[in-house]
Amino acid sequence: MEYFLTNSQPNLDMSRHVRDTLNFVSVFGLYPNIAISDQHNAEKKPSDFIFHTQRKNFVVLHPNCIFNTLYEDLYPSNNKAEQLLAYSTLLETNKPYLTNVTKIPGLTTALLMSKEVSTNGDCTDIVCDMWLRFTLKTSVEDLVHKAVKIRQKWTTMVADVLNSRISDPREFSRRQSRFQKTLSSFIRSDVKYTLRVIRSTELTGLVRYEHAVKLDENITINSVQDSGSSEMEAYLKRAWTCKLCDTSGLFSLAEKSEHLAKCQDMEEEESMKKIEEEEKKEESAVAMETARTRKIPTRE
């Protein structure tokens, strides 16, 4: 998919938003076929790289994999957040091989596709499906809340298609276009983090829901038990400033989540207005060009 989208014939006019959406859909269909690079790969030669999946550890790339020749892309980089690998099948012969592999962003993919996302109180420690753990130096609470909204939109759009609830194809096409832009912006979020597989010894008591704040059926805050989560943290009001509207004050986790949801709704409305204005300008430009080509006089 990645090769096709990058190297297709010139007449395949595809925007970055559409490419990101197609990649998202293909990976969504593959999940949870995800692999993480071993932490010691940076010290090895490419032929010795190993990876870990949720079901099996110490797997390798199939000899025909494109990354066997583009191995530089698999080396960890200080300038780039660590990525994951999506694969179609785990082929077991004399070794367990990953086949049909493509790179995907780590954190944003996990936030959108994991069945269970748990964070500590300040969203600097994120556990996904009880096997991937993301650690951040700064809070990504806004990113976590955006993931909730994108999940909801994606679910609604898929349900509309499957249940034939599209009464206005033109309006649905506009919804698709807006979703693609929102999704692409989210996926390309520039966030620095460290990523590792959770050890079996960590699992006991790692995630608890007694005092968690539930954002939706998949995502909870203050459920990962570390120094940033506690019973008091769920109810304690702390000084906080919203990055979206600069509002400052004392907020509990639930109040902070409610405020962020409202702010993101307002931000999205403003964004949609701008997109609608751009769409109208594009439609007008197309109409003018069509009229000029056909030599049909247009009214001022």
Side-chain angles (χ1 to χ4, degrees):
M1 172 70 79
E2 185 176 5
Y3 179 85
F4 173 78
L5 294 179
T6 304
N7 299 281
S8 294
Q9 59 271 28
N11 62 351
L12 182 59
D13 184 16
M14 192 176 293
S15 68
R16 182 189 71 182
H17 312 306
V18 174
R19 291 198 302 271
D20 287 344
T21 302
L22 287 175
N23 274 324
F24 167 78
V25 172
S26 62
V27 174
F28 189 87
L30 294 174
Y31 196 87
N33 288 3
I34 302 296
I36 179 176
S37 176
D38 185 81
Q39 60 180 337
H40 299 298
N41 278 356
E43 305 161 10
K44 301 176 181 178
K45 56 183 180 181
S47 59
D48 294 332
F49 281 1
I50 59 176
F51 302 85
H52 306 285
T53 72
Q54 190 171 10
R55 292 175 294 173
K56 195 175 190 67
N57 292 321
F58 304 105
V59 300
V60 296
L61 297 178
H62 192 274
N64 293 334
C65 179
I66 185 64
F67 290 116
N68 283 320
T69 56
L70 299 175
Y71 57 84
E72 295 90 348
D73 290 346
L74 298 180
Y75 274 110
S77 169
N78 293 329
N79 300 321
K80 203 169 189 179
E82 187 171 352
Q83 295 186 313
L84 297 171
L85 296 179
Y87 63 93
S88 64
T89 54
L90 183 60
L91 178 65
E92 297 201 48
T93 55
N94 60 324
K95 292 181 180 180
Y97 291 108
L98 299 176
T99 65
N100 300 321
V101 173
T102 185
K103 290 192 306 178
I104 57 175
L107 179 60
T108 50
T109 298
L111 287 176
L112 292 178
M113 299 186 186
S114 298
K115 292 183 178 179
E116 181 182 350
V117 178
S118 305
T119 82
N120 63 345
D122 57 4
C123 293
T124 56
D125 190 358
I126 302 176
V127 172
C128 295
D129 287 338
M130 296 300 288
W131 82 287
L132 291 178
R133 192 166 190 172
F134 298 84
T135 305
L136 306 101
K137 293 183 178 179
T138 58
S139 174
V140 288
E141 55 193 0
D142 55 333
L143 203 66
V144 172
H145 283 78
K146 285 180 181 178
V148 173
K149 292 186 177 298
I150 292 175
R151 279 173 174 260
Q152 292 170 345
K153 288 183 179 180
W154 170 248
T155 301
T156 301
M157 291 181 67
V158 171
D160 287 346
V161 172
L162 295 179
N163 297 312
S164 302
R165 293 200 298 251
I166 304 173
S167 57
D168 186 344
R170 187 174 181 181
E171 177 57 31
F172 186 76
S173 177
R174 287 177 176 171
R175 282 175 58 196
Q176 283 182 311
S177 177
R178 295 165 189 169
F179 175 78
Q180 289 166 1
K181 293 176 182 178
T182 300
L183 176 66
S184 178
S185 176
F186 178 85
I187 289 175
R188 293 173 178 269
S189 299
D190 185 17
V191 182
K192 299 295 186 294
Y193 55 82
T194 57
L195 168 62
R196 65 179 177 84
V197 174
I198 298 174
R199 297 183 293 271
S200 58
T201 55
E202 297 177 82
L203 293 175
T204 303
L206 176 61
V207 175
R208 297 175 61 185
Y209 298 101
E210 292 91 338
H211 308 289
V213 176
K214 196 174 184 66
L215 301 185
D216 68 2
E217 61 181 7
N218 304 105
I219 301 178
T220 57
I221 293 177
N222 200 50
S223 51
V224 173
Q225 302 306 300
D226 68 355
S227 58
S229 302
S230 67
E231 177 180 352
M232 291 296 296
E233 189 68 27
Y235 310 103
L236 188 65
K237 294 193 175 187
R238 295 184 180 275
W240 176 72
T241 300
C242 177
K243 297 179 181 178
L244 299 177
C245 67
D246 292 328
T247 297
S248 297
L250 298 176
F251 293 83
S252 66
L253 286 179
E255 290 170 343
K256 191 192 302 184
S257 296
E258 183 180 356
H259 179 93
L260 271 174
K262 290 180 179 179
C263 266
Q264 288 181 351
D265 285 342
M266 293 176 63
E267 183 185 44
E268 185 177 1
E269 287 179 8
E270 291 297 321
S271 177
M272 288 302 102
K273 288 179 181 178
K274 292 180 181 179
I275 291 175
E276 287 176 1
E277 291 175 359
E278 292 175 0
E279 289 174 346
K280 289 179 180 178
K281 290 180 181 178
E282 290 175 1
E283 290 175 358
S284 177
V286 169
M288 292 290 289
E289 179 62 22
T290 301
R292 185 189 66 79
T293 303
R294 295 178 179 177
K295 297 182 180 181
I296 298 177
T298 58
R299 295 181 180 179
E300 294 295 326

